Amino acid sequence: MPVALFMQACLFDPQHGYYARGAGLGRDFTTAPEISQMFGELLGLWCAHAWDALGRPDPVHWIELGPGRGVLLSDAWRGAQAAPAFRDAARLTLIEASMPLQAVQREQLAAAGARPAFATRLEDAPEGPLLLLANEFLDCLPIRQFVRAEDGWRERLVGLNETGELVFGLSPTPLREEAMIPPALREAPPGAVAEVRPSAESLLAQLAQRLHAHAGRALFIDYGPAASEPGDTLQALLQGRKQHPLAAPGEADLTARVDFAALAEAGRALGMAVAGPVAQGAFLHALGLLTRAGRLAAANPERVAEIAQAVARLAAPDAMGALFQAICFSSPGLPPPAGFAP
Ligand code: SAH
């Protein structure tokens, strides 16, 4: 089977899939909102600012894709207290495929005083003016992998060997249409691996449709380089440790880095206004990370060291600051989003 099918089954098989079983968030990996409340708070203010740029529509659909434990949106909701008119106008919808995680999210949001609606797919979310957040969502959408051979590109497959173990292999014939391969990688040398993410492309197409019909803005943050690079980036994490991607299907989290250049290109081709990608560190600093950290530290002097450490983890170039990027898609004709100034 193609790598994408393997990934899909490992993550979303209704019985044995990693997310379907409730996911080991916080055990297998730690995301930015789980590092510090400052991340979600700044994104909440970003949304309030973006709402203003949309012309303060009421209602506005505030949607998060893949909310994990619901920490980001509950911090964002609290952060948006500073803009009560925005909070009054906002209708929250969480898009979550995993039922156990929906339950966790409902509880987390309730504790923050919010009562979101739920859907399992963006298709089922209400139509209208839109503010969308997605942190570490794209990295778990399945990828297809292609390996450059002497005679063209062959798809990387997962199968069983004679002794019944999972192994990687290659499609017997080369790919007919090279158009699938990102242009920057088409001339890569033999052995190079190109990754494509068909479901991210269809997600963007759907987003574009919504952003053309109503004013809106969507912010994606994830790990990956700003420019397309070849490489096999399929990664399995179990209890914080890297595993072979075929070692623990359904038990380990499986992700692959996001190709931000390909996303930006696809977004523009669909007629959306694209800002970024910018490095997460630069983005958070532009939104006032240090100001927020200073206030939080002043109010909680016993937590100064922890807050300083969180700033470093989120924004330092050798931590998430440069490994992660932010990209924003908007309806055409809106002023530029906050945090993306050159
Ligand atoms: N955004 C969170 C969690 C990231 S983990 C954070 O920053 O902490 C990825 C999340 O996306 C999980 O909640 C997972 O269940 C969800 N998810 C992954 N693929 C999905 C899909 N195709 N549709 C809906 N939810 C999905």
Side-chain angles (χ1 to χ4, degrees):
M1 64 176 85
V3 169
L5 207 58
F6 178 73
M7 223 174 143
Q8 176 76 27
C10 287
L11 295 178
F12 297 108
D13 179 89
Q15 233 187 329
H16 306 291
Y18 179 77
Y19 286 115
R21 297 193 317 168
L25 258 75
R27 181 198 70 194
D28 297 328
F29 59 95
T30 306
T31 59
E34 310 245 341
I35 290 174
S36 169
Q37 67 187 79
M38 296 183 286
F39 186 81
E41 289 168 350
L42 290 172
L43 294 195
L45 291 173
W46 184 91
C47 286
H49 179 267
W51 178 64
D52 222 45
L54 303 188
R56 302 169 77 93
D58 183 359
V60 62
H61 294 291
W62 193 1
I63 297 181
E64 186 183 2
L65 297 178
R69 289 202 287 213
V71 176
L72 195 166
L73 205 56
S74 50
D75 290 339
W77 180 253
R78 209 183 44 251
Q81 258 170 4
F86 166 57
R87 280 220 329 198
D88 287 346
R91 304 283 177 275
L92 300 179
T93 301
L94 274 55
I95 311 290
E96 173 56 62
S98 152
M99 292 304 137
L101 282 178
Q102 280 196 8
V104 174
Q105 293 155 11
R106 185 174 288 111
E107 228 171 88
Q108 180 78 28
L109 271 290
R115 282 206 289 141
F118 285 87
T120 52
R121 310 175 312 157
L122 182 59
E123 288 91 316
D124 304 327
E127 299 271 349
L130 168 74
L131 290 166
L132 183 145
L133 293 175
N135 183 61
E136 292 209 45
F137 174 75
L138 297 172
D139 64 356
C140 57
L141 298 183
I143 52 158
R144 291 176 72 179
Q145 292 186 315
F146 298 95
V147 182
R148 176 85 208 201
E150 292 297 343
D151 56 353
W153 292 89
R154 287 175 188 251
E155 181 150 17
R156 200 164 180 226
L157 305 173
V158 177
L160 294 173
N161 66 11
E162 306 75 40
T163 56
E165 292 159 326
L166 287 169
V167 286
F168 284 114
L170 287 181
S171 62
T173 52
L175 194 67
R176 287 235 206 97
E177 310 166 64
E178 277 212 343
M180 269 202 107
I181 308 295
L185 304 183
R186 276 182 213 151
E187 301 311 317
V193 176
E195 296 177 336
V196 300
R197 196 170 245 128
S199 48
E201 289 162 26
S202 42
L203 175 73
L204 275 194
Q206 219 200 113
L207 183 63
Q209 210 178 6
R210 285 175 182 258
L211 296 186
H212 284 298
H214 304 276
R217 191 156 262 181
L219 178 69
F220 291 85
I221 300 180
D222 226 304
Y223 80 96
S228 300
E229 289 169 9
D232 165 17
T233 76
L234 185 62
Q235 161 176 294
L237 280 181
L238 184 59
Q239 290 170 9
R241 273 196 234 116
K242 277 200 188 179
Q243 303 274 310
H244 188 279
L246 304 180
E251 279 173 50
D253 182 46
L254 270 188
T255 61
R257 77 179 175 199
V258 172
D259 182 342
F260 281 88
L263 275 187
E265 175 76 28
R268 276 190 205 99
L270 288 160
M272 294 185 282
V274 181
V278 296
Q280 173 169 305
F283 179 68
L284 294 178
H285 279 305
L287 298 187
L289 177 63
L290 292 182
T291 307
R292 180 67 192 118
R295 293 253 173 92
L296 199 57
N300 304 275
E302 73 291 354
R303 287 175 53 204
V304 168
E306 170 213 318
I307 294 165
Q309 201 188 19
V311 168
R313 283 180 78 184
L314 292 174
D318 60 350
M320 293 175 95
L323 277 177
F324 281 66
Q325 321 283 331
I327 191 168
C328 176
F329 302 96
S330 302
S331 304
L334 295 177
F340 289 88

